[in-house]
């Protein structure tokens, strides 16, 4: 069977972005200057970018039985994403409260909720998706054992696996080594390499070491600097496109969605880096994550 679909297994979060002069102290009720709402979660974001690029995309995840969950399900379906395998959990939808202070410093609180009630059984129930998917995309915002089980299931069905190891957290090496595309940003690269990675040179230095987790390709994204691809032999660097960046949430997720597009369409590593840089650069020119991601037409 010629498999063309993409299945993303991961988190779905409803985000509140509060702009405020400072954080409250204990016992204080403090007023924010403004609030905006966003649909997020790395899993949902990456799946939305895939769908917006016209890929046949399925999302496996969990939301709570509340208005946040139903609002996001409707919105994701409008982007053309199949959410039939997103099920309801008996807890809250994953929530994020992001506090941005006047000087730009950011702190956040998350309520994991439904994302962390995912179980290996949810993966079994989605087995038919593994049968028709060429590509399985995972991140680390759901329980680790579910990610590991999904990697194992993907292998069984001969699917190509992208692991976006974010947020950086321990995963059994045995499973990491089964991954085809291992994708990290500077922070995550620093965690897995156990050394500081912020510059292009530092990223180049840890390539060999991190490539042990990638059967095909290691990708380190470096924000506005660009991204580095390493296939075990050759390093390819792609400087970020010069754009007027307004808000960078979802840049990495947008990059992954674009990466999926180039894998499904069997493009070269040069085309891959170019296309992913182009797509993610569009996402940072608008506020929000899913809303800001470009469609093929926008490109
Ligand atoms: N300010 C920016 N201008 C242009 N492109 C950007 C900018 N920030 C990020 N990007 C693009 O998005 C990719 C991913 O961003 P990055 O910040 O590394 O990911 P994450 O969101 O996971 O931290 C970068 O490699 C780059 O191609
Ligand atoms: Mg970043």
């Amino acid at each position: 069977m010629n498999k063309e679909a993409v299945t993303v297994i991961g988190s779905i979060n409803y985000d509140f972005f509060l702009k405020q002069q400072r954080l409250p102290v204990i016992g204080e009720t403090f007023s924010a200057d403004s609030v905006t709402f966003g649909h997020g979660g790395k899993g949902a974001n990456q799946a939305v970018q895939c769908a917006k690029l016209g890929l046949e995309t399925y999302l496996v995840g969990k939301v709570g039985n509340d208005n946040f969950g139903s609002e996001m399900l409707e919105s994701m379906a409008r982007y053309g994403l199949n959410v039939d395998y997103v099920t309801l959990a008996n807890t809250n939808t994953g929530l994020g409260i992001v506090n941005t202070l006047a000087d730009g410093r950011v702190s956040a609180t998350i309520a994991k909720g439904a994302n962390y009630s995912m179980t290996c059984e949810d993966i079994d129930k989605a087995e038919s998706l593994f049968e028709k998917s060429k590509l399985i995309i995972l991140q680390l915002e759901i329980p680790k054992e579910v990610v590991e089980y999904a990697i194992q299931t993907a292998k069984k069905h001969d699917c190509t696996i992208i692991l976006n190891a974010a947020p950086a957290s321990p995963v059994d090496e045995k499973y990491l080594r089964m991954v085809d595309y291992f994708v990290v940003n500077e922070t995550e690269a620093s965690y897995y390499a156990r050394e500081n990675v912020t510059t292009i040179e530092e990223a180049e230095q840890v390539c060999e070491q991190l490539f042990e987790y990638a059967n095909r390709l290691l990708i380190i994204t470096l924000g506005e600097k660009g991204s580095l691809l390493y296939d075990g032999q050759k390093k390819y660097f792609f400087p970020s496109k010069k754009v007027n960046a307004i808000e960078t949430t979802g840049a990495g997720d947008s990059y992954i969605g674009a990466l999926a597009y180039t894998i499904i369409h069997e493009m070269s590593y040069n085309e891959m880096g170019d296309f992913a840089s182009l797509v993610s650069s569009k996402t940072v020119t608008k506020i929000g994550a899913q809303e800001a991601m470009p469609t093929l037409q926008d490109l």
Side-chain angles (χ1 to χ4, degrees):
M1 185 170 61
N2 195 10
K3 309 207 284 184
E4 290 217 327
V6 178
T7 295
V8 183
I9 302 166
S11 57
I12 306 166
N13 272 331
Y14 197 94
D15 295 321
F16 298 79
F17 297 94
L18 297 176
K19 280 216 163 77
Q20 56 202 83
Q21 295 302 310
R22 61 173 175 80
L23 294 175
V25 296
I26 300 292
E28 180 188 22
T29 300
F30 189 74
S31 291
D33 301 323
S34 69
V35 58
T36 46
F37 308 102
H39 297 171
K42 292 178 195 295
N45 287 349
Q46 294 174 14
V48 163
Q49 181 64 86
C50 290
K52 280 186 146 185
L53 292 173
L55 299 176
E56 179 188 346
T57 315
Y58 300 84
L59 177 62
V60 179
K62 269 194 154 55
V63 292
N65 193 2
D66 50 32
N67 291 337
F68 301 119
S70 43
E71 180 186 318
M72 286 192 289
L73 285 179
E74 272 172 39
S75 150
M76 290 190 289
R78 276 200 299 274
Y79 291 129
L81 176 62
N82 183 309
V83 292
D84 293 349
Y85 290 80
V86 177
T87 52
L88 294 186
N90 200 10
T91 177
N92 63 284
T93 293
L95 296 180
I97 298 169
V98 183
N99 314 89
T100 306
L101 305 187
D103 61 8
R105 281 182 303 163
V106 174
S107 63
T109 306
I110 61 163
K112 291 175 172 177
N115 294 317
Y116 277 78
S117 65
M118 274 186 84
T119 64
C120 295
E121 215 188 328
D122 294 311
I123 303 301
D124 284 337
K125 284 186 185 147
E127 192 141 11
S128 66
L129 297 184
F130 288 80
E131 279 158 24
K132 63 175 159 196
S133 295
K134 172 167 174 171
L135 195 53
I136 300 292
I137 306 181
L138 297 152
Q139 321 77 28
L140 303 177
E141 285 185 333
I142 57 173
K144 169 176 111 96
E145 60 275 14
V146 178
V147 173
E148 293 173 347
Y149 187 67
I151 290 175
Q152 224 178 318
T153 310
K155 271 282 161 215
K156 189 171 95 189
H157 290 281
D158 218 8
C159 306
T160 299
I161 305 168
I162 298 181
L163 175 65
N164 174 216
S169 44
V171 180
D172 190 330
E173 297 244 331
K174 175 175 143 201
Y175 297 102
L176 286 182
R177 285 173 209 281
M178 294 182 184
V179 164
D180 298 293
Y181 294 80
F182 187 73
V183 187
V184 286
N185 71 5
E186 312 95 306
T187 316
E188 295 131 19
S190 305
Y191 174 89
Y192 291 101
R194 297 195 183 82
E195 53 186 284
N196 195 41
V197 180
T198 39
T199 64
I200 300 162
E201 295 70 31
E202 285 164 345
E204 283 180 334
Q205 275 158 23
V206 298
C207 266
E208 295 281 347
Q209 189 191 340
L210 292 180
F211 186 71
E212 77 179 293
Y213 301 138
N215 282 304
R216 263 184 231 176
L217 195 69
L218 163 74
I219 301 180
I220 304 178
T221 65
L222 300 159
E224 62 182 357
K225 292 191 202 83
S227 58
L228 184 70
L229 277 53
Y230 179 61
D231 64 2
Q233 312 214 312
K234 197 167 165 230
K235 291 168 189 149
Y236 306 73
F237 181 72
F238 298 89
S240 291
K241 310 277 179 204
K242 297 260 170 295
V243 292
N244 182 18
I246 305 279
E247 204 257 325
T248 61
T249 8
D253 296 331
S254 177
Y255 190 101
I256 302 258
L259 175 65
Y261 180 91
T262 66
I263 295 172
I264 292 293
H265 293 285
E266 298 179 348
M267 291 158 80
S268 68
Y269 291 149
N270 275 318
E271 291 168 318
M272 182 181 277
D274 256 343
F275 185 70
S277 304
L278 175 67
V279 170
S280 51
S281 74
K282 292 271 178 202
T283 299
V284 302
T285 60
K286 287 188 191 161
I287 291 177
Q290 297 175 15
E291 303 85 334
M293 293 171 173
T295 61
L296 275 189
Q297 227 167 6
D298 296 331
L299 297 167

